[in-house]
Amino acid sequence: MVFAEALAERARPIARRYFRTPLTIIDKADATPVTLADQEIEATLRRAIAARWPEHGVLGEEQAAERPDAEWLWVIDPIDGTKAFTCGKPQFGTLIALWHRGQAMVGVIDQPITGERWVGVRGEGAWFNGRPMRVRPRAARLSDAIVLMTSPDLFAGARAAVLDRLRAACKGVYYGGDCYNYALVASGHADLVVECGLKTVDFAALVNPIEEAGGVCCDWTGQPLGLASDGTIIASASRTLADEVLAVLAAA
């Protein structure tokens, strides 16, 4: 945990230096954007990991994986929410995770501009800016819940019907936020995020802060998230609320 937070400290000044400045935006092959900030943060964190634990693996957003089958694997998304970053909106984050033999051990969600940090360590607890955090003690039922998600565009094709059912079952949907939405669930300000189309780097750091704060992270079949998960995710403040969502997702 100490080293993961030290990595977040290295990333913060880089993100701040580029934030709300003229940026060259590069469109990757998958049509997602990347900036020099993304690239510099990831390169910096990879160098720090290699210097401290050269035997560890690294899976990142912007460079090829290194030793992805290593016993200990760092998973990095230097700027989750690059679109928000390029628009000058502080609803992005640096995601840093450490997994051991396919098990999430440490997760950090860091917001460099607001100075907010959410941390979870398997079996040890979860903290917001160094203070213990918990999900909402009385999570809403789905009919009273606002569902957070980054974009309806994620629900393309056959999944459009899933979004329609979810909209009909909940109180409302709020779009935008990327990893910031999950952080709000972990620290007790929101009840529910439902998304699909995520990559491993997008969700690996979210598991420990939410689960150690008393919440639930699972895929759309109710299974725990793993490095090979299909990119569907439910992040909920309670098991009951997650089960309600699963029932809606499974409906014909």
Side-chain angles (χ1 to χ4, degrees):
M1 181 186 75
V2 172
F3 185 73
E5 290 204 66
L7 292 177
E9 289 294 328
R10 287 174 179 257
R12 273 189 178 183
I14 301 172
R16 288 171 174 171
R17 174 158 42 88
Y18 284 100
F19 187 63
R20 293 182 181 171
T21 66
L23 288 167
T24 298
I25 303 171
I26 306 162
D27 289 324
K28 296 187 289 188
D30 63 359
T32 58
V34 64
T35 69
L36 292 177
D38 299 76
Q39 295 172 340
E40 185 175 338
I41 289 171
E42 182 165 326
T44 298
L45 302 192
R46 282 175 177 265
R47 286 194 298 269
I49 293 167
R52 178 65 179 84
W53 279 298
E55 72 278 12
H56 286 194
V58 181
L59 175 64
E61 173 77 357
E62 309 304 339
Q63 298 181 31
E66 301 177 30
R67 295 173 296 281
D69 297 325
E71 180 179 357
W72 293 92
L73 180 69
W74 293 90
V75 186
I76 299 167
D77 192 345
I79 295 182
D80 181 79
T82 299
K83 290 179 182 178
F85 181 80
T86 60
C87 293
K89 296 179 66 175
Q91 290 186 326
F92 66 92
T94 297
L95 302 181
I96 300 166
L98 178 63
W99 286 56
H100 179 247
R101 294 179 177 172
Q103 183 74 59
M105 303 302 291
V106 179
V108 175
I109 307 168
D110 190 76
Q111 214 309 308
I113 310 306
T114 60
E116 296 174 299
R117 183 176 299 158
W118 298 259
V119 180
V121 180
R122 180 175 174 80
E124 298 294 333
W127 302 268
F128 171 69
N129 283 356
R131 296 185 177 183
M133 67 179 178
R134 297 292 295 175
V135 296
R136 279 182 177 169
R138 293 183 180 86
R141 298 299 300 266
L142 182 56
S143 59
D144 295 320
I146 301 296
V147 181
L148 305 183
M149 63 181 65
T150 301
S151 171
D153 294 341
L154 296 173
F155 293 77
R159 285 175 171 167
V162 172
L163 180 55
D164 289 341
R165 293 200 301 272
L166 193 58
R167 282 179 177 143
C170 72
K171 185 175 183 178
V173 179
Y174 178 83
Y175 299 114
D178 295 280
C179 65
Y180 204 81
N181 292 337
Y182 298 89
L184 293 175
V185 171
S187 49
H189 302 291
D191 289 314
L192 182 63
V193 184
V194 181
E195 291 192 306
C196 55
L198 275 65
K199 295 176 286 189
T200 303
V201 295
D202 297 322
F203 65 74
L206 310 176
V207 177
N208 295 122
I210 292 171
E211 291 189 346
E212 291 300 319
V216 174
C217 275
C218 64
D219 67 16
W220 284 9
T221 68
Q223 295 301 306
L225 297 180
L227 293 172
S229 289
D230 65 1
T232 61
I233 185 170
I234 298 168
S236 170
S238 74
R239 181 77 254 177
T240 300
L241 181 55
D243 287 342
E244 284 192 81
V245 175
L246 287 168
V248 170
L249 297 179

